[in-house]
Amino acid sequence: MYHYDVFISYLRTADPIARWVRNHFQPRLRELLDGNLDRKAEVFFDGSVRVGGRWPDEVRSALRHTRILVPVCSPKYFYDEWCLAEWASMERREKLAGGDRPATLIYPVIYCDSKNFPPYAHERRWENLTEWNHPYEQFQVSPKYIGFHDRMNRIAAEIEELLSDAPAWRADWPVLTPQPDVPPASRFPRL
């Protein structure tokens, strides 16, 4: 069964994007979805992983148990193996869900520079948030924040529609993950 409504996928190693997701995007999306739904909205992002939790396992489980993927995209997003695995997992699920009307399970947003995205990414309709991609907490007290909040209201309403159309959960939903790096050999001799 589903545990999460939305899985936010983003380039975790890009500090401005990570701060923007933590400071602005994730809290507003959670708050607005929660206001729109008749139940508590559940949003997963990497800040949801417990301290001491096994990050790859928790991410894999969360993705399998999530209805909609919301990738926050920049050109480097499409070079990160985790981001690509999350996108590809949900793309495969869309194909498996099939039916008369293909499911839309990926709701991509643009953080910056979409002209350098790969061709397959341009096949989707995007929500462009480049006008509001300010990672700093002070953005919340700027006049531009009202425009961001209004846009997030529209995004929450659109995601709410996708959630209602999401296919029933299946235990065989594919979840792709990159292979972990082999740890480097110790430079110290074993005694």
Side-chain angles (χ1 to χ4, degrees):
M1 79 174 19
Y2 289 116
H3 302 300
Y4 298 99
D5 297 300
V6 171
F7 183 109
I8 299 174
S9 173
Y10 65 99
L11 186 60
R12 295 154 183 90
T13 58
D15 187 55
I17 297 171
R19 278 188 285 151
W20 183 77
V21 168
R22 267 192 321 271
N23 292 338
H24 308 299
F25 186 75
Q26 182 270 339
R28 288 303 70 74
L29 182 60
R30 180 187 305 266
E31 170 192 31
L32 295 168
L33 272 178
D34 202 51
N36 289 354
L37 298 175
D38 60 355
R39 57 185 162 68
K40 183 177 186 236
E42 297 294 342
V43 176
F44 179 88
F45 80 114
D46 66 337
S48 306
V49 175
R50 301 167 303 195
V51 172
R54 295 188 55 177
W55 191 82
D57 294 340
E58 291 201 27
V59 168
R60 200 176 4 256
S61 175
L63 191 56
R64 176 170 283 118
H65 293 89
T66 297
R67 287 180 173 88
I68 304 294
L69 179 76
V70 177
V72 176
C73 298
S74 64
K76 289 183 179 83
Y77 177 94
F78 296 98
Y79 290 96
D80 182 81
E81 58 188 3
W82 277 98
C83 294
L84 291 175
E86 291 160 3
W87 180 293
S89 295
M90 206 54 85
E91 210 168 42
R92 285 194 183 172
R93 186 185 302 180
E94 285 178 335
K95 289 177 182 155
L96 282 173
D100 297 339
R101 195 175 102 211
T104 300
L105 304 176
I106 300 174
Y107 187 96
V109 299
I110 301 171
Y111 178 81
C112 63
D113 191 22
S114 63
K115 66 182 173 282
N116 290 309
F117 291 178
Y120 69 87
H122 287 286
E123 294 173 1
R124 295 194 179 259
R125 184 181 80 82
W126 290 81
E127 188 61 47
N128 188 344
L129 297 179
T130 57
E131 184 179 342
W132 301 284
N133 68 358
H134 309 286
Y136 311 105
E137 290 181 33
Q138 299 87 330
F139 174 50
Q140 293 178 9
V141 294
S142 75
K144 283 184 84 169
Y145 197 80
I146 293 170
F148 172 71
H149 187 79
D150 290 344
R151 182 64 65 94
M152 290 300 294
N153 256 323
R154 192 177 91 214
I155 289 169
E158 290 178 357
I159 289 175
E160 181 185 3
E161 283 183 39
L162 295 179
L163 291 171
S164 65
D165 293 339
W169 186 79
R170 291 174 32 184
D172 67 339
W173 286 139
V175 176
L176 308 174
T177 53
Q179 295 299 314
D181 293 333
V182 176
S186 174
R187 296 185 324 198
F188 300 103
R190 289 187 168 205
L191 300 177

